Amino acid sequence: PVAAAAALAAFAPAAAQALPPVSDLPSKRVTELTEAIMRSGSAWKWKLAGCALLAGVALGFGAERPAPAPAVAPAPAPRAADESRLVLGFAGHVRFLKPDGAELFRVTGADAVKAGADVTAPCGRAAPDGRLPLGTREGLYLLTPGSPPTVAPVRAAKGDKALFAGGEVPYIVAWSSDGTKAVGGRSKDPMFSAPFYEYVLIDLAAGTTEELKLPRNHRVEGWSPDGAWLLTIREDHSFGLDGWTVRARELCKLSADGKTTEVLADGGGRVRPAKLLDGAALSPDGKRAAYLRPTTATVGDGVRAIDLPGFEVVVLDLATGARATVAAEPGGEVANEKWQMNIAMGVRWLPDGSRVGFAYQHRDVGEAFAVGWRVGVVGADGRGAKTVFDSAAADPKAPPPSLTLFDWR
């Protein structure tokens, strides 16, 4: 079991990034995990490798191009805070849950195609009113959940086409509080220089886009209610035998014009190593930030020792710098030579700011291998932590192989 756990620990990302769009192929890390397990030699580990490969392949909505033109979808009225919905995007569908985890409804790939979409998955965060951005072949569209759901283009100010028609629709990383503007981002991985980010401001009401001249090493995590600044994670890269790697991260308050930066984590100090700071979210009132801090637990069999990942959820008061760990999902030994790994995938706030939600990948390592997706909810003061969704319980026969979207709207 330790050998298998070591292979899995090597596969686990050092720090979870923003949830990416669905992929049609296994990632490089999934391939490496599969090969590592297969090299172990025993029959059950060959089966384990097959499970790992299948779990890494994400299937999309539906690729069939629909014939009917999309219907016009007006923005729905904002919902009360107690009617908020957890939004979980899986391979092939999106689920809308109550804060206690009870499922309200789903939007499937077939629903989206019937409404007039030709997409594989939502291309970013849900809008404040719950609409989902779609990167279609015709440009940026919005899907309004309902019975039935509807889709409509975000039309450009000039011409009759959608924004980004004929080009790449960016991943929506943040929305203005009123849902009329959004920040779209693209990650770049050049061959001879450090990875970086590019951003564009999307004015949905005016039908225009504008390049955001932000520092290239800042990853946007949120947008202040007044639109004056962005919550970002600044990444410092270094080059070594393994190529470009992130050696440090800082949680920052970046002006919307990209000209001034204030480091928020540790009262202005740097957070090192990089594993000590990860994905973040800004509270609805812009006064607090929640972020994910990975942890490790060392286990062994007397011959070798490995580190199994876990994480903590931390709430930071931006005015005072006070921090509090409000939830934790550690990795390590469970019982009977079985181990678990918990890899943080995202953190979000309840729209009224009273609670924090966090999504993570859970893996059991031992005689059997299982991977699942869980969502926890905890009060912003650390009270009432509870797991409200577990894919292994919700879908025991066919758990979803990937999580592509996590939001709370």
Side-chain angles (χ1 to χ4, degrees), residues 33-362:
L33 167 64
T34 306
E35 293 175 349
I37 297 172
M38 292 172 66
R39 283 196 296 269
S40 299
S42 63
W44 74 268
K45 290 176 183 175
W46 277 78
K47 296 178 181 179
L48 176 62
C51 293
L53 181 61
L54 290 174
V57 179
L59 303 175
F61 262 174
E64 180 181 353
R65 190 185 181 91
V72 177
R79 299 183 306 275
D82 59 354
E83 296 178 348
S84 65
R85 301 166 182 172
L86 288 165
V87 185
L88 302 181
F90 293 108
H93 67 276
V94 178
R95 304 183 193 187
F96 295 82
L97 314 177
K98 292 182 179 180
D100 63 3
E103 183 171 331
L104 291 167
F105 60 90
R106 300 184 184 188
V107 177
T108 67
D111 294 332
V113 169
K114 184 181 293 186
D118 59 3
V119 296
T120 57
C123 62
R125 294 200 58 186
D129 59 21
R131 290 181 295 171
L132 301 174
L134 304 177
T136 75
R137 298 188 187 111
E138 306 300 328
L140 176 60
Y141 278 55
L142 290 174
L143 182 148
T144 301
S147 183
T150 57
V151 298
V154 179
R155 295 199 179 278
K158 297 180 179 180
D160 60 353
K161 295 185 177 181
L163 289 175
F164 305 104
E168 178 189 1
V169 178
Y171 193 83
I172 306 301
V173 295
W175 289 86
S176 62
S177 57
D178 62 3
T180 62
K181 295 181 175 66
V183 175
R186 299 184 180 95
S187 60
K188 301 292 184 177
D189 193 8
M191 183 176 297
F192 299 110
S193 61
F196 63 92
Y197 302 97
E198 293 179 342
Y199 294 101
V200 59
L201 176 64
I202 306 168
D203 190 324
L204 286 78
T208 60
T209 63
E210 177 186 352
E211 179 188 358
L212 281 176
K213 297 181 180 179
L214 306 180
R216 289 154 59 99
N217 62 337
H218 281 249
R219 195 175 85 206
V220 173
E221 301 287 306
W223 197 355
S224 67
D226 61 4
W229 56 275
L230 300 162
L231 182 72
T232 69
I233 292 179
R234 180 165 63 189
E235 300 177 344
D236 289 341
H237 294 84
S238 62
F239 187 79
L241 295 178
D242 295 328
W244 290 99
T245 58
V246 178
R247 64 183 179 89
R249 288 188 174 97
E250 297 169 309
L251 190 65
C252 297
K253 180 178 179 180
L254 176 68
S255 63
D257 60 9
K259 294 181 179 180
T260 61
T261 302
E262 176 187 350
V263 177
L264 299 173
D266 290 338
R270 298 178 66 80
V271 179
R272 294 177 182 271
K275 69 179 183 179
L276 295 183
L277 178 65
D278 200 18
L282 187 64
S283 64
D285 61 7
K287 296 181 179 180
R288 293 164 295 169
Y291 64 89
L292 301 167
R293 181 167 59 192
T295 60
T296 57
T298 302
V299 300
D301 57 2
V303 178
R304 59 187 305 183
I306 58 171
D307 292 330
L308 296 179
F311 66 93
E312 297 174 340
V313 181
V314 181
V315 171
L316 170 69
D317 186 303
L318 302 187
T320 66
R323 292 184 299 174
T325 299
V326 298
E329 292 291 345
E333 186 171 359
V334 180
N336 300 324
E337 294 189 345
K338 294 183 179 180
W339 295 271
Q340 68 176 8
M341 305 192 315
N342 293 307
I343 304 167
M345 304 299 291
V347 60
R348 297 288 182 251
W349 287 85
L350 176 70
D352 70 1
S354 63
R355 285 179 281 177
V356 176
F358 49 96
Y360 59 102
Q361 182 188 92
H362 174 81

